[in-house]
Amino acid sequence: MGLVNWGRTGRANAGPGFRSMASSIAILMAGAAAIALSVPAAKAQQAAQPATGQQADQKNKADEKAAAEGTLLDKILVISRTGETAIQSLASASHVDREQLERRMATTPNEMLLGVPGVAVQADARRVSSSINIRGLQDFGRVAVIVDGARQNFQRSDHGTQSTFYVDPELIKSVDVIRGPVANTYGSGAIGGVVFFDTKDAEDFLKPEETWAGSITGRYESNGKGWTTSASGAYRFNENWDALGNIVYRDYGDYKNGGGDTVAGTGFDVLSGLLKTTIRPSENSELKLGWVGSSDGWTETSSGVPANDVDLKSNTFTARYNITDDAKSWLDLHINASYNKTVLDLTTLVPQNRFDPGTGLPVVLPAGSLSILDVGTTGIDIWNTSRFETAGVAHELTYGGDWVGDDVETGGTAGGDSFYTPSGKRNVSGGYIQDKLTWEWLEVITGLRYDNYSLKDSGHETSGDRLSPRITVGVSPFERAALTGLQFYGTYAEGYRSPSLTEMLISGNHPAGVTFPFLPNPDLKPETGKTVEFGVNYKQNDILEAGDALRLKAAYFNNNVEDYIDGVTLSAFDPTSGCPFGPGIPICFQYQNFAKAKINGFELESVYDAGWGYGGLSASIINGHTISYEGERADLASIPSSQVTAQLGLRFLEDKLTVGGEVQYNGKPKGNPVAKDYTLVNAFASYQATDNLKVDFRADNLFDVKYTNPLNGSTTAVLYEPGITLKLAATMRFGG
């Protein structure tokens, strides 16, 4: 089924965006082939000549990276196209590593991203389907969510969040976040930023002397009386080929909020899995093939009464290839291909009042009626980085292109939920070039991206394109020992997001008691994000004692999103609104452009690690509003809480025992009718009892605070988050 649908979204039916992308890819591949053919000659020349300063830096890069592995901000960014760490990045970038993920014992993506500045996660009552918000921007591709290189573009029209993704935290080894449109080398539309989830590899699981290994984890959670069971197995066929499999099952009941009340519809059971193999055809090449999938089932409630039975299946297939020359000088080529398919089947449990999508007349949707949402996303991403030196200036020149095609098919019983998510096809593509120049204390990054999109259904078709620039300047002006790690930077960057199928084509009438029409808007303009950012990076070792380290990143940003798209309510009494008098109340809902959305804020991320313990502090303050073309100002509903998160951990017994806690203050966003200030306190402990047994404990919301995520303020009812939750897990590992 998946292969058939992949074919339908392939080249034969693709629009001009894909054909232009195919031409760009062909040119890039030809260039890569020419570079590859020139490698032997280049190697011979390098053997006869002394290495330049840039080439010597490349040879020492591995040693430098290994020396930097001791702290949270020094882990290499998987998402980086130039092989840098977060502290080296002239952008607001964060890395969450495997140790942090294990410490958080995450059940949901929200828990994986705890304390990452500028990032919030919105989820429904079940918490498994999630939408990521970066700097007040979310939904419809404003934040590119990527799993092993595959874009996650599933969307369902509903109250609250619109765009969701499904990935089990147990399968993830690291998360990288880049905030703002500086991330436009990672795909079209990401005016808010990019979140990259990298799944586990066999080489992370196997010890150097092992051929095979396995592990079993069991975890119990007190709130909802939930169980998680995870089993992993890895095998090394030879030094150039290994494989990993992981299966996870979660079974949770309804949780209780901080007031002690059971929240109906919050239970779920989900089965997830991962298969991944890595093949190294040569010393300088690597191929990763992977599958990540989940099968989920739950019951949706309405006014506390079961209304729909939901079955969801999500499958992501990826292939990632990388080849370099010996020094990673001219050839560092990456080719990624992916396909993600998410199918949601919704069966009504009780009769429901709806409207026939063809006639617009009221109908009763009988119990047992089926709605189907089928979203397939195909992606191709190719880039190369060339490193060289001219007149004493080191260059990292990155150039490439990408294409993503969405194929949305909805259907089922007339009047069902699926008819509020339009069917259609969307193709977005782009090409870019970026040069990072380094000269002593000065770094300059210049980039230019071209975006193209086409969108169509049976009755509409639209397209557009744009060039988006970026320039970043970083300086490290100090030579004194205590200040050598201090770096300042400033950035101006633009990004471009095309309208989604739903924003442009949604139609029909709102179901049930509150009845009004949805109006399509085929004249929507794309959004353009224009961001100015000023930041500071600070990196210093051996501050208070030998071997300790401090890492700090801070930034102020100002983002103007021109032609911002948001839903508006129109009055049928206004003759200029285009809203007709229909059944129900005299209003209409339509997605429209605003002149701009203005968002600004401050972010801080820091950690001090002394081996025997560590402390971290992160913070984000975000404000935002929209401005209409008539100059009217309104609060932006997608602005998350301002946050301050403090973390402290202590290590004992030769680092076998780690204990610590987290405190997070959340400040009410302006103009949010349901949000309040609240503070959460968490505690954790981890004990590596033997080489093969590990025990973890965690207490979330230790003081049982009753609170709600302000991003859920647009839903029909206030949703309170879980109260105190105790987690206890044990992991047994074996291998040989």
Side-chain angles (χ1 to χ4, degrees), residues 51-55 57 387-396 435-444:
T52 65
Q54 174 69 15
Q55 291 165 343
D57 288 343
R387 301 172 178 89
F388 54 94
E389 189 174 302
T390 59
V393 178
H395 296 259
E396 288 184 271
D435 193 12
K436 178 181 177 181
L437 303 93
T438 304
W439 179 76
E440 294 183 356
W441 49 267
L442 176 67
E443 285 187 36
V444 179

Side-chain angles (χ1 to χ4, degrees), residues 349-432:
L349 298 176
V350 295
Q352 300 178 16
N353 296 321
R354 295 299 174 91
F355 293 89
D356 186 287
T359 66
L361 298 176
V363 297
V364 176
L365 200 64
S369 299
L370 179 67
S371 293
I372 302 173
L373 292 90
D374 185 329
V375 180
T377 301
T378 308
I380 299 173
D381 187 7
I382 301 178
W383 77 93
N384 185 63
T385 299
S386 298
R387 301 172 178 89
F388 54 94
E389 189 174 302
T390 59
V393 178
H395 296 259
E396 288 184 271
L397 182 66
T398 303
Y399 42 96
D402 47 74
W403 168 79
V404 174
D406 291 329
D407 187 355
V408 182
E409 296 182 5
T410 59
T413 307
D417 283 52
S418 57
F419 288 92
Y420 299 99
T421 303
S423 298
K425 297 179 185 292
R426 186 179 74 142
N427 293 303
V428 293
S429 61
Y432 57 87

Side-chain angles (χ1 to χ4, degrees), residues 538-685:
Y538 183 60
K539 173 180 178 179
Q540 193 62 243
N541 298 333
D542 303 326
I543 302 171
L544 301 178
E545 60 183 66
D548 69 358
L550 173 67
R551 303 290 183 264
L552 181 148
K553 290 179 72 74
Y556 168 81
F557 67 90
N558 192 318
N559 188 5
N560 290 326
V561 183
E562 297 181 354
D563 299 315
Y564 180 76
I565 300 172
D566 202 359
V568 299
T569 301
L570 306 173
S571 172
F573 296 103
D574 181 358
T576 65
S577 70
C579 176
F581 283 94
I585 58 179
I587 63 170
C588 300
F589 178 89
Q590 186 181 50
Y591 286 100
Q592 292 188 356
N593 289 110
F594 288 74
K596 63 179 59 180
K598 295 180 68 68
I599 305 172
N600 60 71
F602 170 80
E603 296 163 350
L604 167 72
E605 184 174 21
S606 62
V607 62
Y608 171 79
D609 196 318
W612 50 265
Y614 66 89
L617 181 68
S618 64
S620 60
I621 301 172
I622 304 174
N623 295 296
H625 59 272
T626 59
I627 301 176
S628 70
Y629 291 106
E630 293 75 31
E632 298 178 356
R633 173 172 166 163
D635 292 318
L636 193 57
S638 58
I639 296 299
S641 296
S642 294
Q643 290 185 344
V644 178
T645 305
Q647 304 180 55
L648 177 66
L650 300 174
R651 303 182 180 104
F652 303 96
L653 304 178
E654 297 179 337
D655 295 344
K656 292 181 179 180
L657 174 64
T658 302
V659 297
E662 302 146 353
V663 179
Q664 184 181 80
Y665 168 76
N666 293 262
K668 167 185 169 65
K670 293 180 180 178
N672 192 301
V674 302
K676 296 180 180 179
D677 296 353
Y678 62 92
T679 300
L680 301 177
V681 179
N682 310 320
F684 59 85

